[in-house]
Amino acid sequence: AQDLSSGYSSAAQDVTSTAVTVTLSNFFGVPYGFTDLEISKAGDSTWLRNQFIEPALEGLKDKIMQTIFALCTTAAYTNETVSTAANFDSDDLADIAGALTALKVPMRNRSMIVDPTYYTALMKDAVVEDASAFGDNQAIKEGVVQRVRGVNVFQYANIPNLSESFEGMVLHPSAIAFAARTIADPTELNADAPVQVEDRVCPVTGLPLQFRAWYDANAGKFYLSVATLWGCIKGQANSMHRIVSA
């Protein structure tokens, strides 16, 4: 802050920002198909298609999450807490939140993503279980913990240990720069292209998704796919606090 008693212009200072370039280097999707015989046995092509949409989306989501987790090494983010799942509780999360605050990480939009064993330990924490203290009985009724110590809480079942006993992290969005783009639609270049295309945007994450469907008459097979294009890179190192088991 500057002394403004002599005017604004004389106190003005130059400001700068540091650019972070995100390369859209990940072009992945989940294509799958059904033969005429499989559709005939199912009796309903729409029903059969719908049974596999959610697993396809889960597969694509996991691929995206793995590229994000791969960034979370101790070399990139040095702040960490060592705790086994059996010993992890809301006090540990309070300490982590305090450490982030000391580093001037914004208190809003903090989230924790951890292995289910750590999530379960937090759910069993006496403070979290006690509705009178916590003000929420979801942990007992629904087996869900949504927010603890000012941190949104999530579990993820496929966190890689990165050969560093990595179990998860508490982070602010500024810790990782992520960008995605809608895939080119072939029907915009050729309206007669033998494929149906539908672009959607996930209402929760803002992730652009492209769904395609086409039929190979020679193979007698109906194909579908869901795909996206994305990239991610390390952001502010102090905005992530890793949780490791050793």
Side-chain angles (χ1 to χ4, degrees), residues 9 51 65 107 231 238:
S9 298
Q51 300 311 301
M65 291 301 297
M107 296 184 67
N238 285 338

Side-chain angles (χ1 to χ4, degrees), residues 2-77:
Q2 304 298 314
D3 181 359
L4 301 179
S5 59
S6 298
Y8 288 80
S9 298
S10 60
Q13 294 182 325
D14 291 336
V15 294
T16 60
S17 62
T18 301
V20 175
T21 301
V22 179
T23 302
L24 299 175
S25 56
N26 299 286
F27 179 33
F28 285 87
V30 181
Y32 54 103
F34 306 110
T35 65
D36 290 342
L37 178 59
E38 290 169 335
I39 296 173
S40 298
K41 287 182 176 180
D44 186 336
S45 60
T46 301
W47 176 87
L48 185 61
R49 178 190 62 192
N50 290 343
Q51 300 311 301
F52 290 90
I53 288 178
E54 187 170 344
L57 288 169
E58 285 293 316
L60 182 58
K61 178 194 71 175
D62 186 63
K63 182 62 180 181
I64 294 171
M65 291 301 297
Q66 295 308 315
T67 63
I68 293 173
F69 288 136
L71 300 174
C72 303
T73 63
T74 188
Y77 302 95

